[in-house]
Amino acid sequence: MNHVSSPSTNGAATGALFMVIASLAFAGSNLLQSALPTPVEYGGYGMSSTGMAFWQYLIASILALPLIFRIGIDKLRTTRPLLHEIRAFVSALGVHVFVYGFATGVPIWQMVTLLATGPLFIILASTLFLGERASSARILAALVGFVGAILISGVGAEGLTWSTLIPILAAALWATTDVLTKYLSRTEAPETLTISLLVLVTPNHLLILLAVNALAWLAPAALPAGLATGFPFALPSGDALWLLLLLGALTGAAQYLLSYAYKVADATYLQPFGDLKVPLSGLLGWIILGQVPSVWFWPGALMILAASSFILWVEGHETSQPSLA
């Protein structure tokens, strides 16, 4: 959530440092999310994407227990429990869609960059459903980001495929989570918004895992390959188990790092440092997994990140202006 006060010099530097480290944690988790569900014959570990997402967030939730207790369980009291549940479910569903994209073979650089279209969906949904004004800056940012997404997803050796639309769907789901957060923030305390997501997200991962595996049992032909394989709660063995534990730890660490960064500095100031996860993820995928980005990745990524940074800078600047009323 955005803060409108200007960060102090020390707070800005500390927040930027923690956001950069968080970007490294996200890049590392994206790398592991790509390797674990990739079939063994292609150099991966063949883990079910739904099973991986469940264990990843269960481990992260256990590690986040000190944060949960520090906020206080009493902050779960709310007059809108259904909206909080919908928000947590959509957030968890976005994770499952995202990791399934890795299972289908979409490279890291394409997955993470297309995920950066999220702010564009937030602009659209906030305008349509929250009654926010569609300023010229918002429209310009949406158009530039859309062109960047087209460059990345539709130009290259294989052209536009359904698989390349998976991260865009994940971005739309997470944008829905953010819009619900903005709507709930009108009446709910920030602590309630934070702890409700931390507490509810893992049960919703379990719900999705059980639903997918039940459908796989009742109508196996209805699900694409790799979405649900074998016993849903089976843990991998050997190196894959250690990598899964590391994935959960990185996810939990990112929660702490983001929480601390936003505590000491403005969100609009921190956003460009958070966007570092896009080139960092692409770089790790290139070096470790040999996923060489398309030549169109660079201009497309630049357009998406520029559009996101531009709209955040413009609206953050406008919000910070003193009111004359």
Side-chain angles (χ1 to χ4, degrees):
M1 66 196 64
N2 291 351
H3 306 281
V4 297
S5 60
S6 300
S8 64
T9 302
N10 290 337
T14 303
L17 175 62
F18 275 84
M19 185 60 79
V20 170
I21 300 173
S23 294
L24 286 170
F26 279 121
S29 65
N30 289 331
L31 180 71
L32 294 174
Q33 286 173 327
S34 178
L36 285 169
T38 298
V40 176
E41 56 267 29
Y42 295 109
Y45 295 90
M47 188 176 183
S48 164
S49 62
T50 50
M52 181 190 72
F54 167 72
W55 286 111
Q56 171 190 353
Y57 278 86
L58 177 61
I59 295 168
S61 295
I62 293 173
L63 294 175
L65 283 176
L67 179 60
I68 292 173
F69 288 121
R70 188 176 69 188
I71 296 173
I73 298 296
D74 60 302
K75 299 298 190 301
L76 279 173
R77 295 173 184 168
T78 177
T79 58
R80 297 186 169 183
L82 181 59
L83 276 181
H84 282 284
E85 165 55 24
I86 293 173
R87 171 172 166 257
F89 176 79
V90 173
S91 176
L93 185 60
V95 171
H96 284 270
V97 170
F98 183 63
V99 298
Y100 178 67
F102 287 122
T104 63
V106 181
I108 289 179
W109 58 266
Q110 197 170 58
M111 286 290 295
V112 179
T113 309
L114 290 176
L115 197 65
T117 58
L120 311 179
F121 288 107
I122 294 173
I123 290 171
L124 179 62
S126 297
T127 302
L128 293 177
F129 301 110
L130 299 184
E132 297 184 359
R133 182 174 60 88
S135 64
S136 57
R138 286 187 170 198
I139 295 172
L140 176 62
L143 290 175
V144 172
F146 177 75
V147 172
I150 291 298
L151 283 177
I152 293 170
S153 63
V155 179
E158 299 181 0
L160 181 63
T161 65
W162 287 111
S163 294
T164 58
L165 298 179
I166 292 175
I168 297 178
L169 176 58
L173 288 168
W174 279 330
T176 302
T177 303
D178 288 340
V179 172
L180 286 171
T181 300
K182 292 178 71 174
Y183 178 75
L184 285 168
S185 66
R186 295 174 176 178
T187 57
E188 302 284 73
E191 294 81 5
T192 301
L193 292 170
T194 300
I195 196 170
S196 65
L197 195 59
L198 287 173
V199 170
L200 293 175
V201 72
T202 298
N204 278 281
H205 279 296
L206 175 60
L207 176 63
I208 294 170
L209 174 63
L210 293 176
V212 168
N213 280 271
L215 185 58
W217 179 66
L218 295 172
L223 290 178
L227 194 58
T229 57
F231 181 58
F233 298 102
L235 285 167
S237 59
D239 292 341
L241 177 58
W242 290 108
L243 292 177
L244 180 62
L245 292 173
L246 177 59
L247 175 59
L250 286 174
T251 304
Q255 292 176 348
Y256 280 97
L257 291 165
L258 286 175
S259 175
Y260 190 81
Y262 285 127
K263 182 178 180 180
V264 297
D266 295 352
T268 49
Y269 165 78
L270 293 172
Q271 182 63 34
F273 299 99
D275 286 340
L276 286 174
K277 62 179 174 288
V278 175
L280 286 173
S281 296
L283 184 62
L284 287 178
W286 188 354
I287 294 173
I288 298 177
L289 301 180
Q291 297 178 355
V292 182
S294 161
V295 66
W296 294 102
F297 164 74
W298 307 106
L302 181 61
M303 292 180 74
I304 291 175
L305 296 181
S308 175
S309 299
F310 171 72
I311 192 62
L312 285 168
W313 176 80
V314 169
E315 299 198 356
H317 179 73
E318 290 176 351
T319 303
S320 64
Q321 299 302 312
S323 173
L324 299 178

